[in-house]
């Protein structure tokens, strides 16, 4: 993995080194800058060496004839086998780095028909790249179709542009201006959906987009999504018709590819099925290869309701893994300090408090390994979220109940009923589109006027509400939320998180299974059958906990730490929002009660918005001007015996 940056403007070239330096955490193993002799383009890269650790893998990388220059951030699954195929065709690579493979494939595509998007659609992996064609003075920018790796583009004078892996690097080219128009969608999603970023004139390249720049003009292409492709990557046909066998083979291959690195590899471990399943397969594959199982990492909590360490340790013992338990932060100043740093890394408001855990975890992972396998994507692909069951119930039964009856029942239960039931009834009072809007909107404070990003998919054409919600989470929520956390928090400490469940054959296999099959027996029915042979029997049926902190407790701690008493907290939290004073106090008390998790999450997002609006300071000059706090540090429990 790497950090990449570049510009098409001659006047910006002197600033490029500053941008690259700001990405040094993404690539601590080397830096390189290339400038077009004709001053039409410049690009740089910082390198995290995971394949081909020699200088032959340095970037940016040039073609043999000097026509093409590539800056590549990513990982290509199965790249060694593809190199062998190229060698048989007479190509003599200078390295075995996957960036060079991508360079060859793009050169071939441009020479054949110029269809870069189709060439990239044949690759499974995670990437963002920039390719400069000196002969045509063309710049290609591309991002993988699942949105795993980021690429930000900022408009410059006279039609020029600059690009970088993180927003903070773009500040090297000039001041960035906040765009508060993202407020509506931020509060609904808890993140800013692409292409918006929260900064004016800065866009996050949408997933799968290929941008072609030439002489100030931009055209766009689109890499086909693997869920919409009918043939496997590189034409590798799969014989199985049984969905369990087909999904198993796809995941097994994807995990095996992800383990292929020229450095040590670790895995995340949990009490759930996704990371646990990946860790179990990784351990089995390692043993087949005569290697030790990869080291495991799990987040530990003082609250036993949230803690999965006992289950993770039992699983690690079963798999023969060494395991490290990383303690979640508990003290207010630790949580606040970590949160400020996450906002700097992301460069935009981000309201999921789990990002603090991900940063704490990644710091420890980075002290042991450069590559770590994760189970990101399992809930979205295999039907793991409870709201999918609500959507399935709506599809099969609830939509046939007269609307007047549904509204009457919702009024009788109200907001005081069980959380999931109340939310189901609230959203289920109209058609499927209304249910979709209500169930996906994370905002519990109506005065914030939150609204989802526009979605044009038709419920009927996507196979029903449950299928639509799974696809929306896969294509919008996953890249904006979990994948954002994995990339920024991992790369903050030089960790490349590889996500085998998002291998293209896996995504394709999961999409080929009917939604109702995924959702049988409470969800993840097919995935549970896939991983059952690798996990202890008692692990298969453990209740879902998830990677979530005690939000209400954290909210109370941080707000009191920053602002003090409840009145000051409410004034600061709702500053700039039209929420009556008495309602502010009600929301605050509900949020910290521990009985209204949706309200707690919304107020956490509101606190983050205020931090972001004040450059990460939460108006510290009001309360904290005379205080200073120690820097937080990760604590590690000794590896389990």
């Amino acid at each position: 993995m790497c950090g990449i940056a570049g510009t098409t403007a001659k006047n910006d070239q002197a600033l490029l080194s500053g941008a690259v330096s700001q990405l040094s955490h993404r690539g601590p193993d080397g830096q390189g800058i290339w400038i077009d002799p004709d001053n039409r383009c410049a690009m740089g890269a910082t390198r995290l060496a995971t394949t081909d650790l020699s200088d032959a893998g340095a970037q940016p990388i040039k073609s043999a004839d000097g026509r093409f220059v590539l800056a590549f951030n990513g990982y290509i699954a199965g790249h060694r086998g593809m190199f062998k195929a190229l060698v048989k065709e007479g190509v003599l690579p200078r390295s075995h780095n996957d960036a060079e493979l991508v360079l060859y494939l793009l050169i071939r595509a441009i020479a054949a028909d110029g269809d870069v998007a189709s060439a990239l659609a044949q690759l499974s992996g995670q990437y963002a790249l920039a390719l400069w064609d000196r002969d045509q003075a063309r710049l290609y920018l591309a991002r993988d179709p699942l949105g795993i790796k980021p690429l930000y583009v900022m408009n410059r004078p006279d039609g020029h542009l600059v690009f970088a892996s993180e927003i903070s690097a773009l500040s090297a080219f000039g001041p960035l201006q906040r765009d508060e128009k993202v407020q509506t969608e931020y509060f609904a999603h808890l993140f800013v959906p692409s292409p918006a970023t929260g900064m004016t004139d800065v866009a996050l390249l949408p997933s799968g987009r290929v941008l072609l720049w030439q002489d100030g003009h931009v055209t766009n292409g689109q890499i086909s999504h693997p869920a919409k492709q009918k043939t496997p990557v590189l034409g590798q046909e799969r014989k199985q018709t049984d969905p369990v066998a087909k999904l198993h083979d796809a995941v097994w291959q994807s995990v095996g590819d992800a383990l292929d690195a020229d450095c040590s590899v670790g895995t995340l471990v949990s009490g759930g099925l996704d990371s646990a399943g990946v860790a179990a397969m990784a351990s089995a594959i390692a043993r087949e290869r005569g290697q030790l199982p990869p080291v495991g990492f799990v987040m530990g909590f003082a609250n036993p309701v949230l803690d999965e360490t006992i289950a993770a340790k039992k699983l690690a013992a079963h798999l023969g893994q060494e395991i490290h338990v990383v303690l979640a932060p508990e003290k207010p100043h630790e949580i606040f300090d970590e949160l400020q740093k996450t906002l700097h890394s992301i460069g935009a408001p981000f309201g999921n408090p789990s990002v603090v855990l991900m940063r704490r975890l990644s710091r420890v992972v980075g002290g042991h390994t450069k590559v770590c396998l994760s189970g990101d994507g399992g809930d979205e692909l295999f039907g793991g979220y409870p709201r999918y069951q609500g959507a399935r119930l709506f599809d099969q039964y609830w939509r046939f109940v007269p609307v007047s009856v549904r509204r009457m029942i919702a009024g009788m239960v109200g907001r005081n009923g069980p959380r999931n039931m109340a939310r189901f009834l609230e959203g289920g009072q109209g058609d499927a589109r209304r249910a979709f809007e209500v169930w996906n909107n994370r905002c519990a404070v109506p005065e914030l006027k939150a609204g989802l990003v526009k979605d044009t998919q038709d419920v009927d054409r996507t196979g029903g509400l449950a299928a639509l919600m799974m696809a929306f989470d896969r294509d919008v929520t996953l890249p904006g939320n979990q994948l954002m956390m994995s990339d920024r928090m991992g790369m903050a400490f030089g960790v490349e998180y590889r996500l085998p469940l998002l291998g293209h054959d896996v995504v394709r296999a999961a999409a080929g299974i009917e939604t109702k099959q995924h959702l049988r027996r409470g969800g993840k029915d097919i995935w549970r059958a896939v991983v059952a042979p690798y996990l202890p029997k008692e692990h298969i049926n453990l209740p879902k906990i998830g990677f979530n902190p005690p939000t209400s407790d954290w909210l109370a701690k941080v707000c009191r730490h920053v602002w003090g008493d409840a009145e000051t907290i409410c004034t600061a939290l709702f500053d700039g929002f039209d929420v009556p004073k008495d309602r502010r106090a009600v929301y605050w008390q509900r949020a910290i009660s521990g009985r209204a998790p949706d309200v707690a999450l919304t107020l956490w997002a509101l606190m983050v918005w205020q931090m972001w609006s004040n450059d990460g300071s939460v108006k510290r000059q009001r309360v904290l001007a005379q205080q200073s706090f120690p820097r937080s540090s990760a604590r590690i429990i000794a590896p389990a015996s």
Side-chain angles (χ1 to χ4, degrees), residues 5 39 55 79 101 115 174-175 271 382 407 539 554 557 569 610 634:
N39 291 312
D55 291 342
H79 75 281
L101 170 72
D115 193 352
F382 309 138
R407 289 176 176 169
H539 198 99
W554 276 20
K557 285 180 177 179
I569 289 170
Q610 299 292 8

Side-chain angles (χ1 to χ4, degrees), residues 227-377:
K228 301 172 184 176
Q229 296 172 354
K230 294 183 179 180
T231 57
V233 171
L234 297 178
Q236 296 172 356
E237 298 292 343
R238 298 194 177 277
K239 304 295 185 182
Q240 296 90 341
T241 57
D242 174 43
V244 174
K246 188 171 184 178
L247 182 60
H248 171 276
D249 287 359
V251 175
W252 182 270
Q253 181 65 50
S254 187
V255 172
D257 288 338
L259 284 171
D260 185 5
D262 295 330
C263 61
S264 60
V265 179
T267 70
L268 299 186
V269 186
S270 72
L273 291 180
D274 300 332
S275 293
V278 169
M281 283 197 184
S283 298
I285 292 171
R287 284 193 295 270
E288 276 193 359
R289 296 175 179 177
Q291 302 167 350
L292 292 174
V295 63
F297 302 90
V298 65
M299 200 88 223
F301 293 89
N303 184 345
V305 174
L306 302 173
D307 191 58
E308 294 184 312
T309 57
I310 293 176
K313 287 180 178 180
K314 289 181 178 179
L315 176 62
H318 177 81
L319 301 177
Q321 284 187 296
E322 174 189 351
I323 186 168
H324 295 271
V325 181
V326 184
L327 296 182
E330 292 286 337
K331 297 179 180 179
H333 69 79
E334 289 182 303
I335 301 167
F336 180 63
D337 181 54
E338 295 280 24
L339 181 58
Q340 286 185 302
K341 290 171 182 174
T342 66
L343 290 181
H344 176 76
S345 294
I346 294 173
F350 190 83
N352 185 343
S354 297
V355 70
V356 173
L357 301 177
M358 199 67 192
R359 179 180 170 85
R360 177 62 66 96
L361 183 65
S362 297
R363 179 189 290 112
V364 177
V365 174
H368 292 268
T369 184
K370 291 182 179 180
V371 173
C372 187
L373 276 53
S374 166
D376 281 349

Side-chain angles (χ1 to χ4, degrees), residues 49 88 106 188 190 247-248 285 301 313 319 354 407 437 459 470 472 474 477 502 513 557 597 600 637:
K88 289 181 180 179
L106 293 182
L190 305 182
L247 182 60
H248 171 276
I285 292 171
F301 293 89
K313 287 180 178 180
L319 301 177
S354 297
R407 289 176 176 169
E437 296 284 346
V459 175
M470 287 176 65
F472 183 81
R474 181 195 66 207
T477 308
L502 295 181
I513 298 170
K557 285 180 177 179
I637 298 176

